[in-house]
Amino acid sequence: MSKKSKKTAVPSGKKEQMLMICISVLIVLAIIVAGYGIWSVTGSGSRIGGKAEDPLMIEELYAGDYQAEICEEDGEYVILLAVDETFEFQRVVLNLSLPKGASISPETNCLLGEMAGRPIVHLGIENPVLVIQNGEDKRE
């Protein structure tokens, strides 16, 4: 009786080992990219609390060349804007991103008008408030 030896598919050479390492790294990178893609599509982290379905949420706001930060404090939304000392508060053009169907309400106490579809506001008044409306819903 002769004994048959079985050969296993274990990489024995340096080239095979390097190939297996490269394939492993590519698999890990593919998993990371897929995870990031899923995370970015679901909106997690892109809006406050991940509230992608909020029809009144200001998604992004620029006052002139300055980007504002939108925060939630005690159930209220607050717009934080840091500008330099030469900033013109009396006539500011806003670039903002709102959900589909949302707009700035005429009830906004600092609204002066609009230019090319962008609202012009006076931020120098006491307690300027943007009122966002979407259908019957409104939020200050």
Side-chain angles (χ1 to χ4, degrees):
M1 269 194 181
S2 69
K3 291 185 177 181
K4 294 183 182 179
S5 63
K6 293 184 179 180
K7 293 185 179 181
T8 58
V10 176
S12 58
K14 292 282 184 185
K15 287 183 180 180
E16 287 87 6
Q17 287 177 343
M18 290 302 292
L19 182 63
M20 292 302 288
I21 290 171
C22 288
I23 290 172
S24 299
V25 168
L26 288 174
I27 290 172
V28 169
L29 287 174
I31 291 170
I32 290 170
V33 169
Y36 176 76
I38 292 170
W39 174 78
S40 65
V41 167
T42 60
S44 299
S46 65
R47 298 186 180 138
I48 296 172
K51 296 180 181 176
E53 68 280 345
D54 189 344
L56 300 171
M57 180 69 190
I58 298 173
E59 299 166 348
E60 185 176 62
L61 186 137
Y62 284 86
D65 294 331
Y66 300 93
Q67 183 174 12
E69 182 180 347
I70 300 150
C71 301
E72 185 177 3
E73 296 177 2
D74 300 325
E76 292 186 356
Y77 291 100
V78 178
I79 299 169
L80 304 174
L81 181 65
V83 297
D84 63 26
E85 60 264 351
T86 62
F87 187 78
E88 285 283 331
F89 287 94
Q90 291 76 21
R91 194 167 174 83
V92 181
V93 177
L94 299 181
N95 291 312
L96 53 106
S97 297
L98 297 172
K100 186 176 181 177
S103 62
I104 292 184
S105 170
E107 297 173 17
T108 297
N109 68 350
C110 58
L111 186 64
L112 298 174
E114 73 172 44
M115 179 174 65
R118 297 179 296 173
I120 301 171
V121 296
H122 185 319
L123 297 178
I125 68 169
E126 189 174 332
N127 298 319
V129 176
L130 285 176
V131 179
I132 307 300
Q133 66 183 17
N134 196 339
E136 297 296 317
D137 297 328
K138 292 183 183 179
R139 178 186 295 142
E140 290 185 354

